[in-house]
Amino acid sequence: MKYVKVILDLPFDKILTYHVPVSLNDKVQIGMRCSAPVGKRKCQGFITGIISKSPPFPTKPIIDIPDEIPVFSDAMFKFTKELAEYYFMPWVKVLKAALPPALSNKKGLRLEIDSKDIPTLSYQQPPYSLSKDQKDAISQIHSSIDKKEHEIFLIHGVTGSGKTEIYLESIFHSLKQKRGAIFLVPEISLTPQMIKSFKDRFGERLALYHSGLTSSQRRNEWLRIKTGKADIVLGVRSAIFAPLENLGVIVIDESHETTYSQQEKFKFSALQAAFIRGKLQKSVVIMGSATPSIETYYHAKKNKYNLIKITSRVDNKQLPEIIVVDMNKEKMEGNKNIMSRRLQSAIKQTIEQGEQVILFMNRRGFSSVVMCLICGHIEKCKNCKVSLVYHTSSNMLICHHCNYSTEIPPICPRCHRSYLRPVGIGTQRVEKEIKKLSSDFVVQRMDSDIITGKSTTHKKVFDDFLEKKIDILVGTQMIAKGLHFPDVTLVGIISADTQLNLPNFRAGEFTFQLLTQVAGRAGRGERTGKVVVQTHYPEHYSIRSAVHYDFEKFYENELDFRKELNYPPFSQLVSLTIKGSSENNVRKDAVVLANMLKQNNKAVEFIGPGPCPVDKIRNKYRWRIIIKSKNRENLNKLMPNLKDYWNKIPHKQETLSIDLDPVDML
Ligand code: ADP
Ligand code: ZN
């Protein structure tokens, strides 16, 4: 008789031993899905082991095996397990997240055995000769692939330095050695053009992995990879779970993008997952960005990653000029408009020349921020140096990190001239102001309100803009990245301050990234472009270094700030969010939990509890405790006990969610 170990689909990890009934004896394999009895109930699970010796206790039989093939290989088991351990998550939760959603239902998988061989790969020479920088990078990566060792590369290359060609060459090199590749892109850049260029290049060998596919399409793509018919996977963060047996290369394009951190189901970062998977499968991991995150760059500088720097564009074209407009001065000189005179004249001039404009209104501001109407000052927390959030109910400014609170200063502490007032500029306001400038301009707004309103689509707006039916595109971060509009020669940033004042310690980093990426949108065609940035903080290092395209300078300043306050990379953070429909209970639970944690874990630092920056979502109140730990060991001691502490608190319907290495911190 055969016996199997089964990890059961329960909210926590439980592995039980069962015996295999005769009817399933020939079918059973490690890595298969199965159903098995738990008490009187039937439960789904995965077979993690087969044993032939009978255990010293009575066993029940498994009930069914729906598939012809195992869904998990040994490598995938190891990978998901280590990932679960890193995030202090139940393994079974990660296993489930690693499968396409259609496999969570009961329909069985059949292994299609058709005679069709794996399509051959025809290598296509790029239509240009590679630059020296590209060749150097490629040769470094190739020799690493040849060694079949896990190494991590960071290509820090300005926009337009030809990083894509380096990725593609590396992938081809790996495929020639019969090892597959995963190419990760941020959600926002997985456009139809991108998919097409990959299809042209890799043909039938390409599989896609993204949320735009139907669940049966996803299942099919998964099967094609699983059965070896496709060995290049292009996709968003979940593609890191693609079931490739031989994995030579993992590419993470625009590695700084926050969409690599998944917020639903289980919270993980595709970067962290790639490092773990790459280590286990001896794959080379290549990250690329013009604006790597501080943490990534820090590790590259400490030789944890191989750093490849590319400082010039392939066509040697100039990066656009970035002009900063001091909005304090603008107001002092009598201009009350949200667009500076400089920006207004630049818009007029650009359109008169038959060129196009993008106006960028960064992510929706927190209308609950209180700002000086003259100098743009926003009060920051004394302890955390993040922006304070205005609470109308109590008429107080509150730190959403540590709960420090203060009254609104009667007069602006920075310029002593004005009072602080709640603010928030939206894209609609910008649209209105431009129409005042000239009624002849064709303006189109592009934000989530427009797109969800269904009156138009993403694609329609972009096509119209490309065909020059639109002069000025006004939008949120949706339009900041990736796209290529050759006739855009002016990009205006209405307020860099929304980003700079986010109640998040990464605000400075987000601002630098935003300005650099946006500048990459201007002057993609023959003509060089120009960027106008409006801010109340023209002296801020994020803005100053972005203007000079000086990443190193920005990095130094930002690293000092991180060090002073012990933020990552000098610590590891965990954000614990308590949610519930009674504000009182949520706060009480947060306070009690924080006290328990503080008493029992003297080695780590706690911030809070305090309300989350977005303190109410879908009628659920949200409070947060941030754990700041100097090292992983301290977290390893604390985290396994967290659920026990939480369960000691008698609560009605509050929930606790854990975010390790949080990014958005909303
Ligand atoms: P990055 O990802 O570094 O911003 P891309 O890889 O998108 O840059 O390359 C920018 C543009 O330059 C693309 O249109 C690409 O086709 C082109 N390109 C890449 N390498 C070369 C080269 N060696 N010679 C000429 N053009 C190149
Ligand atoms: Zn604070």
Side-chain angles (χ1 to χ4, degrees):
M1 181 127 62
K2 279 182 186 166
Y3 297 86
V4 286
K5 284 189 180 294
V6 176
I7 182 161
L8 296 157
D9 183 2
L10 296 170
F12 45 88
D13 281 342
K14 189 154 195 74
I15 300 184
L16 293 182
T17 306
Y18 293 88
H19 64 262
V20 181
V22 184
S23 59
L24 296 175
N25 217 356
D26 293 338
K27 198 176 176 184
V28 65
Q29 289 179 55
I30 293 178
M32 282 182 146
R33 296 192 294 161
C34 70
S35 54
V38 178
K40 288 204 166 64
R41 283 178 36 228
K42 186 166 123 177
C43 189
Q44 306 299 314
F46 303 102
I47 297 169
T48 60
I50 298 181
I51 16 179
S52 44
K53 230 176 98 207
S54 95
F57 47 81
T59 52
K60 289 181 185 174
I62 54 171
I63 300 167
D64 188 29
I65 293 177
D67 305 327
E68 306 283 313
I69 53 168
V71 292
F72 289 116
S73 64
D74 187 44
M76 287 304 283
F77 267 152
K78 287 202 176 99
F79 163 48
T80 48
K81 187 147 197 226
E82 196 167 326
L83 190 60
E85 281 163 5
Y86 180 84
Y87 285 105
F88 304 102
M89 283 283 156
W91 183 22
V92 70
K93 206 168 168 180
V94 180
L95 285 171
K96 278 167 53 187
L99 292 177
L103 284 186
S104 326
N105 68 27
K106 296 199 184 66
K107 236 169 84 196
L109 277 177
R110 316 235 156 256
L111 179 63
E112 299 160 58
I113 305 174
D114 62 23
S115 53
K116 223 166 75 189
D117 282 327
I118 297 173
T120 50
L121 190 70
S122 59
Y123 177 75
Q124 284 169 358
Q125 210 71 43
Y128 33 70
S129 55
L130 297 176
S131 71
K132 182 172 181 308
D133 285 331
Q134 285 171 320
K135 281 188 200 148
D136 289 349
I138 289 164
S139 89
Q140 277 191 60
I141 296 170
H142 280 193
S143 66
S144 178
I145 292 172
D146 292 341
K147 281 189 280 178
K148 292 197 169 49
E149 268 171 27
H150 169 56
E151 275 189 298
I152 302 174
F153 288 87
L154 169 64
I155 307 176
H156 176 216
V158 293
T159 44
S161 56
K163 294 186 284 295
T164 313
E165 207 51 59
I166 303 172
Y167 307 144
L168 294 176
E169 282 290 331
S170 309
I171 290 176
F172 271 115
H173 194 74
S174 173
L175 294 175
K176 279 186 243 158
Q177 305 181 6
K178 303 221 170 349
R179 301 180 79 204
I182 295 176
F183 194 128
L184 299 181
V185 292
E187 235 138 350
I188 206 139
S189 56
L190 195 59
T191 55
Q193 297 103 291
M194 171 129 201
I195 292 174
K196 186 177 177 302
S197 76
F198 266 75
K199 276 202 174 131
D200 291 347
R201 204 107 177 192
F202 296 109
E204 300 261 305
R205 299 269 289 260
L206 179 72
L208 294 173
Y209 233 74
H210 60 89
S211 53
L213 302 179
T214 66
S215 81
S216 75
Q217 282 172 327
R218 277 218 214 184
R219 182 174 176 275
N220 286 346
E221 293 294 85
W222 186 89
L223 254 180
R224 286 177 55 229
I225 304 165
K226 183 77 192 165
T227 53
K229 295 204 172 64
D231 52 5
I232 307 127
V233 184
L234 169 64
V236 297
R237 57 181 181 246
S238 60
I240 196 61
F241 294 112
L244 286 161
E245 271 321 290
N246 266 311
L247 181 58
V249 182
I250 304 169
V251 174
I252 308 168
D253 191 21
E254 308 288 357
S255 65
H256 61 278
E257 283 289 339
T258 55
T259 52
Y260 283 124
S261 289
Q262 168 158 296
Q263 299 300 316
E264 321 90 55
K265 283 192 242 166
F266 96 99
K267 301 193 176 200
F268 78 100
S269 144
L271 271 64
Q272 191 58 44
F275 301 154
I276 294 174
R277 188 161 183 187
K279 182 191 72 183
L280 293 169
Q281 293 193 275
K282 298 199 180 340
S283 335
V284 168
V285 177
I286 310 167
M287 290 182 277
S289 173
T291 52
S293 78
I294 294 295
E295 284 106 309
T296 299
Y297 203 67
Y298 178 79
H299 292 308
K301 285 236 165 176
K302 295 254 168 211
N303 293 326
K304 225 173 119 183
Y305 314 147
N306 300 298
L307 178 60
I308 297 176
K309 279 175 99 65
I310 308 182
T311 50
S312 56
R313 290 180 148 183
V314 275
D315 49 12
N316 282 317
K317 218 179 357 188
Q318 289 267 299
L319 290 158
E321 184 193 3
I322 304 180
I323 300 154
V324 176
V325 179
D326 181 347
M327 293 306 277
N328 298 326
K329 232 171 115 198
E330 198 68 18
K331 273 181 200 143
M332 288 218 314
E333 289 168 11
N335 178 17
K336 296 262 163 35
N337 200 298
I338 55 170
M339 278 185 287
S340 58
R341 292 157 296 174
R342 185 79 194 246
L343 182 57
Q344 294 181 17
S345 67
I347 292 174
K348 281 190 190 147
Q349 196 193 351
T350 306
I351 294 176
E352 274 159 22
Q353 287 169 358
E355 295 158 6
Q356 291 172 297
V357 179
I358 291 180
L359 289 181
F360 184 72
M361 196 49 245
N362 357 359
R363 55 171 89 190
R364 295 245 201 100
F366 289 83
S367 54
S368 45
V369 162
V370 165
M371 193 190 211
C372 168
L373 298 181
I374 290 193
C375 76
H377 172 79
I378 287 183
E379 282 284 282
K380 302 227 159 166
C381 172
K382 296 191 302 204
N383 314 314
C384 312
K385 303 254 168 81
V386 300
S387 303
L388 295 172
V389 175
Y390 175 58
H391 283 238
T392 25
S393 50
S394 58
N395 200 28
M396 296 287 273
L397 296 173
I398 298 178
C399 171
H400 281 201
H401 269 46
C402 73
N403 207 28
Y404 163 80
S405 70
T406 179
E407 285 178 5
I408 301 176
I411 204 152
C412 172
R414 187 173 178 226
C415 71
H416 308 292
R417 288 197 306 265
S418 170
Y419 303 96
L420 303 174
R421 292 274 154 69
V423 286
I425 319 167
T427 40
Q428 285 177 5
R429 168 100 183 273
V430 178
E431 189 185 17
K432 239 168 66 191
E433 298 282 347
I434 306 167
K435 292 209 167 127
K436 271 193 234 158
L437 211 60
S438 163
S439 51
D440 292 343
F441 297 161
V442 185
V443 188
Q444 172 69 52
R445 209 147 49 83
M446 171 84 166
D447 52 27
S448 49
D449 294 342
I450 289 275
I451 300 309
T452 48
K454 300 277 186 246
S455 61
T456 185
T457 62
H458 220 117
K459 189 172 177 313
K460 172 96 173 54
V461 174
F462 285 141
D463 287 349
D464 285 355
F465 194 50
L466 209 55
E467 289 165 26
K468 299 187 77 171
K469 290 181 191 157
I470 297 168
D471 298 319
I472 306 173
L473 192 61
V474 182
T476 55
Q477 80 256 36
M478 238 191 237
I479 57 173
K481 289 152 192 164
L483 296 150
H484 184 94
F485 299 111
D487 285 322
V488 172
T489 54
L490 174 67
V491 175
I493 297 175
I494 302 295
S495 168
D497 304 346
T498 354
Q499 201 79 356
L500 206 52
N501 287 316
L502 280 176
N504 184 330
F505 73 90
R506 285 186 226 271
E509 174 176 330
F510 290 158
T511 304
F512 182 86
Q513 288 171 345
L514 174 84
L515 298 194
T516 312
Q517 301 290 337
V518 162
R521 296 304 98 218
R524 300 280 286 195
E526 295 303 310
R527 289 161 296 238
T528 51
K530 198 192 300 176
V531 179
V532 175
V533 181
Q534 305 193 139
T535 176
H536 290 96
Y537 301 87
E539 296 304 316
H540 191 283
Y541 62 81
S542 290
I543 292 176
R544 287 192 67 88
S545 33
V547 166
H548 297 109
Y549 294 97
D550 193 347
F551 179 82
E552 291 292 333
K553 186 92 201 153
F554 161 71
Y555 172 75
E556 278 168 31
N557 278 300
E558 181 67 15
L559 205 66
D560 285 347
F561 161 71
R562 302 282 180 98
K563 190 160 198 168
E564 187 195 334
L565 288 151
N566 206 9
Y567 283 126
F570 302 102
S571 66
Q572 190 169 20
L573 302 187
V574 187
S575 157
L576 307 177
T577 310
I578 295 108
K579 291 176 228 169
S581 36
S582 149
E583 188 172 15
N584 229 345
N585 291 345
V586 168
R587 190 187 51 237
K588 246 189 307 193
D589 284 3
V591 170
V592 175
L593 179 65
N595 286 341
M596 267 196 273
L597 287 170
K598 285 173 189 174
Q599 265 165 29
N600 293 292
N601 299 277
K602 302 283 185 213
V604 298
E605 195 185 326
F606 292 92
I607 309 175
C612 294
V614 183
D615 54 0
K616 193 178 178 191
I617 297 181
R618 280 180 237 105
N619 287 320
K620 294 260 192 266
Y621 292 90
R622 309 161 81 236
W623 271 58
R624 179 170 71 180
I625 303 164
I626 296 168
I627 305 171
K628 217 190 237 180
S629 177
K630 282 242 184 226
N631 56 42
R632 176 77 192 187
E633 288 70 50
N634 289 332
L635 286 184
N636 286 342
K637 280 184 212 140
L638 183 158
M639 295 301 289
N641 302 320
L642 185 63
K643 277 268 146 82
D644 290 341
Y645 293 134
W646 176 247
N647 290 334
K648 276 188 199 151
I649 306 172
H651 32 239
K652 298 183 186 77
Q653 15 77 324
E654 288 74 47
T655 57
L656 171 70
S657 69
I658 301 163
D659 191 1
L660 187 86
D661 307 331
V663 175
D664 259 354
M665 308 196 69
L666 295 179

